[in-house]
Amino acid sequence: MPSLLQRVKSKMAIFAQRKARGMLDGEYGSVFRGRSLDFDDLRAYVPGDEVRDIDWKASARHGSPLIRRYVAVRRQTVLLVTDTGRNMAADAKSGEAKKDIAILALGVLGYLALRHGDVVGLVCGDSSTTRSLPAKGGEEHLERLLRHVDTNTRLDGPPSRLQDQLQHVAGNVKGRRLLFVVADELPADDATGRLLRRLRAQHEILWLTVRDADLAPSSQEIRESSTADSFSVADSAVLAWQPAAAAGVAAAYATAAAQRDAERKAMLRAAGIVEGDVAASDDVMTGLFALLERHRRAG
């Protein structure tokens, strides 16, 4: 069976060829603030590094900017939180399965955590069950976590209800953690907003939204496909494309989708949570980098 973590590493290697090495590592290392650090070594400055970390004396001797690197005295615990209900087995905006994009994102953040000496755990589930896998180190452990998400996210599984997994974290996880939440377009409501504010009071939270597929295909897609009907994973209802051909219906759908987005973003913002979003696996590396950078600046 192909390794899911190897797929993650391959994506990261491609990204490293396009971006300066160390940028993702640097952004990840900036997420936790105030932890005890010991000096490790020096490395070349790359865009995105903190100016305050430049060692000016060493830079003057070397002839180019050098950054002081530190190692944590104590390991941090990173908790991956995701939905394994059938909503996440549906298509993303790119046409890929949302779970494949989610697994890639979880793997990248988990692998960064391992590289920094941190331990990684998982909370996942659906409307019927929440599963918690303890935090450990090591690539074999991370592979098991990713495999668990992959195996348990199925179209024939129970419906999604991410609020149950968030409630589990609020009620059972003691101490401060870094929560990395990967979800689809979670609807906003008052109860969820209160839950998020409660979680944010205790934990650092990074939130990545995997964008849903467009339910109304474009006119070109309609022409190219003779079987353009789609099905809702929630109740198996047919989502016929014909009404979307009407300009008024398409405009109303776009307005409703924009309103849902705005409500979710406002809910997360009110809780003090920085959100990123991705529509395809090719977006994950840049999307995660941007999310880490925004989180650092927000702090």
Side-chain angles (χ1 to χ4, degrees), residues 216-239:
S218 67
S219 57
Q220 179 179 351
E221 289 171 328
I222 292 172
R223 288 194 300 270
E224 291 176 351
S225 176
S226 59
T227 58
D229 286 348
S230 300
F231 296 86
S232 167
V233 296
D235 56 11
S236 299
V238 176
L239 304 173

Side-chain angles (χ1 to χ4, degrees), residues 89-101 210-214 221 279-281:
D91 288 348
K93 195 167 186 176
S94 62
E96 303 165 87
K98 283 187 283 187
K99 77 165 183 176
D100 292 340
I101 301 172
V210 181
R211 301 306 303 267
D212 289 337
D214 287 329
E221 289 171 328
S281 59

